[in-house]
């Protein structure tokens, strides 16, 4: 189905205005589509979406939404997860080139080889992985329930945790599990938020709370600062994106330093406008997330591009690993 737009100049010099938002909503209604936007998307994309959140929460919304078409404004593995949970629906991503450095840090072939070295191990994969990797996984996890998932596994079983080394280190530290092997993958944006930056910012803002995503390279530094008394322990919070939003609504702090992708600041400021949220690293912007431009969203709604397709057997196996996680506990709003 091809739909005519109002005209090519609806986005002026890359800056969307109310005419663009109205046109997006008109096209979404014509296509019968639900618009989902990840927390790291451009503010204009977040504001025009039907739902904003982390990848897994949005995928579950996709599965339950009455609309037959889902337009997922995020990166490719997220749209795949929506297709896994809603196989009968049409899932579009406005730019199929929007990949993920973390998901790309392990391939299905690499996981097969790793599993061959530990044939009796339980494989735990972060949802930030491809469908093919999820299909080889026993249980998926999110950043908010990774500890719970690992704790649910027989303590005598070896665990292979992938792909994020920083989230894995956090889980290993919290659970105290010694028979846990961690893949050396990382998100290039989160890994780039380092401990020196965090220390400098915490020193410059002594009254601020610290909201730190467990994928960040500075998460260990945050805990070290708390342990050494450089920052009060109750001010250091290792949180998923959903956890950050929950904490924003309840914290008594007037200032919060945020260590994650800077798109998250938009939702935090909407949730608690009275708080001064500042990034630990103002350059922590994911170029893949920002490939979902206002123009790309219009094109997707107009032309039905780019549709996500998955092999049925891969999708079925991947769905089993996601459902195994959901059976352990509700992932909540903290997919990543």
């Amino acid at each position: 189905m091809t739909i005519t737009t109002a005209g090519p100049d609806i986005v002026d010099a890359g800056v969307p205005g109310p005419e663009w938002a109205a046109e997006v909503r008109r096209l979404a209604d014509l296509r019968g589509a639900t618009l989902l936007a990840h927390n790291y998307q451009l503010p204009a994309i977040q504001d025009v979406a039907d739902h904003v959140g982390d990848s897994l929460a949005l995928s579950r919304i996709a599965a339950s939404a009455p609309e037959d078409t889902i337009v997922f404004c995020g990166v490719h593995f997220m749209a795949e997860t929506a297709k896994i949970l809603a196989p009968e629906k049409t899932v579009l991503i406005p730019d199929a080139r929007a990949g993920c450095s973390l998901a790309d840090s392990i391939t299905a072939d690499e996981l097969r080889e790793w599993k061959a070295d530990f044939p009796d191990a339980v494989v735990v994969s972060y949802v930030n992985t491809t469908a093919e990797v999820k299909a080889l996984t026993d249980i998926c996890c999110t950043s908010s329930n990774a500890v719970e998932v690992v704790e649910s596994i027989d303590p005598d079983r070896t665990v292979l945790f992938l792909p994020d080394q920083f989230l894995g280190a956090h889980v290993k530290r919290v659970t105290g599990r010694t028979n846990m092997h961690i893949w050396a993958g990382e998100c290039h944006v989160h890994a780039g938020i380092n401990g020196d930056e965090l220390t400098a910012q915490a020193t410059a803002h002594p009254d601020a709370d610290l909201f730190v995503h467990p994928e960040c390279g500075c998460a260990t530094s945050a805990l070290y600062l708390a342990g050494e008394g450089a920052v009060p322990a109750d001010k250091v919070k290792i949180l998923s994106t959903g956890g950050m939003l929950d904490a924003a609504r309840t914290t008594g702090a007037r200032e919060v330093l945020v260590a994650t992708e800077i798109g998250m600041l938009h939702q935090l400021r909407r949730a608690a406008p009275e708080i001064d949220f500042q990034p630990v690293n103002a350059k922590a912007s994911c170029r893949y997330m920002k490939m979902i431009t206002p123009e790309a969203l219009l094109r997707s709604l107009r032309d039905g591009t780019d549709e996500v397709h998955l092999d049925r057997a891969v999708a079925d196996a991947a769905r089993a690993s996601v459902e195994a996680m959901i059976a352990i506990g509700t992932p909540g709003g903290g997919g990543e």
Side-chain angles (χ1 to χ4, degrees):
M1 176 174 62
T2 300
I3 301 172
T4 303
T5 60
D9 299 325
I10 196 78
V11 181
D12 182 20
V15 180
E19 297 85 0
W20 169 83
E23 183 68 356
V24 166
R25 295 311 319 171
R26 184 184 76 86
L27 294 175
D29 290 342
L30 285 175
R31 190 169 286 281
T34 295
L35 304 185
L36 307 180
H38 189 267
N39 290 316
Y40 297 161
Q41 287 290 295
L42 293 167
I45 300 288
Q46 295 187 39
D47 289 345
V48 80
D50 294 297
H51 304 280
V52 180
D54 67 75
S55 65
L56 186 62
L58 292 175
S59 293
R60 298 176 79 189
I61 289 170
S64 61
E67 291 81 5
D68 293 328
T69 297
I70 305 300
V71 180
F72 208 123
C73 298
V75 294
H76 200 269
F77 83 80
M78 299 178 180
E80 281 188 342
T81 307
K83 185 67 175 178
I84 288 166
L85 293 179
E88 75 289 352
K89 294 187 178 184
T90 298
V91 177
L92 305 176
I93 179 170
D95 192 328
R97 299 171 300 168
C100 172
S101 60
L102 179 55
D104 288 345
S105 68
I106 186 167
T107 66
D109 286 341
E110 288 172 329
L111 178 52
R112 287 189 188 94
E113 292 177 6
W114 201 27
K115 289 177 67 172
D117 293 334
F118 300 93
D120 297 322
V122 178
V123 177
V124 177
S125 292
Y126 194 20
V127 292
N128 297 39
T129 47
T130 65
E132 288 78 9
V133 167
K134 288 184 177 72
L136 297 171
T137 294
D138 295 301
I139 312 173
C140 282
C141 72
T142 71
S143 57
S144 63
N145 72 359
V147 169
E148 183 182 8
V149 166
V150 170
E151 286 180 337
S152 75
I153 299 168
D154 186 329
D156 293 328
R157 296 285 302 276
T158 297
V159 172
L160 302 183
F161 188 96
L162 62 105
D164 189 80
Q165 60 183 314
F166 299 112
L167 177 59
H170 172 68
V171 172
K172 191 171 186 176
R173 182 170 53 242
V174 173
T175 62
R177 197 171 189 118
T178 58
N179 57 348
M180 178 174 164
H181 301 275
I182 301 168
W183 188 262
E186 63 183 29
C187 161
H188 74 285
V189 175
H190 283 109
I193 306 174
N194 62 57
D196 289 343
E197 289 173 327
L198 181 71
T199 300
Q201 291 275 26
T203 301
H205 304 272
D207 296 326
D209 274 5
L210 304 182
F211 287 6
V212 181
H213 196 283
E215 281 183 39
C216 284
C218 65
T220 299
S221 297
L223 294 172
Y224 175 80
L225 289 172
E228 292 296 304
V231 175
D234 62 350
K235 287 186 173 294
V236 176
K237 307 178 194 305
I238 309 298
L239 300 165
S240 63
T241 54
M244 288 183 183
L245 284 171
D246 291 340
R249 298 183 181 104
T250 58
T251 183
R254 306 307 302 170
E255 185 178 20
V256 175
L257 299 174
V258 182
T260 191
E261 209 274 353
I262 58 173
M264 188 66 206
L265 294 168
H266 185 60
Q267 286 300 312
L268 288 170
R269 289 164 177 164
R270 290 184 65 178
E274 72 282 2
I275 297 174
D276 181 17
F277 293 98
Q278 293 298 327
V280 169
N281 182 336
K283 296 181 180 179
S285 176
C286 176
R287 64 183 182 272
Y288 300 112
M289 284 285 182
K290 271 53 177 182
M291 289 175 73
I292 310 302
T293 63
E295 295 92 341
L297 178 53
L298 275 181
R299 182 174 62 249
S300 183
L301 287 167
R302 182 190 65 216
D303 301 333
T305 55
D306 291 319
E307 185 171 354
V308 175
H309 297 282
L310 292 176
D311 177 84
R312 177 56 65 90
V314 168
D316 289 346
R319 189 177 310 112
S321 66
V322 175
E323 290 177 345
M325 172 190 66
I326 294 172
I328 290 170
T330 302
E336 66 285 324

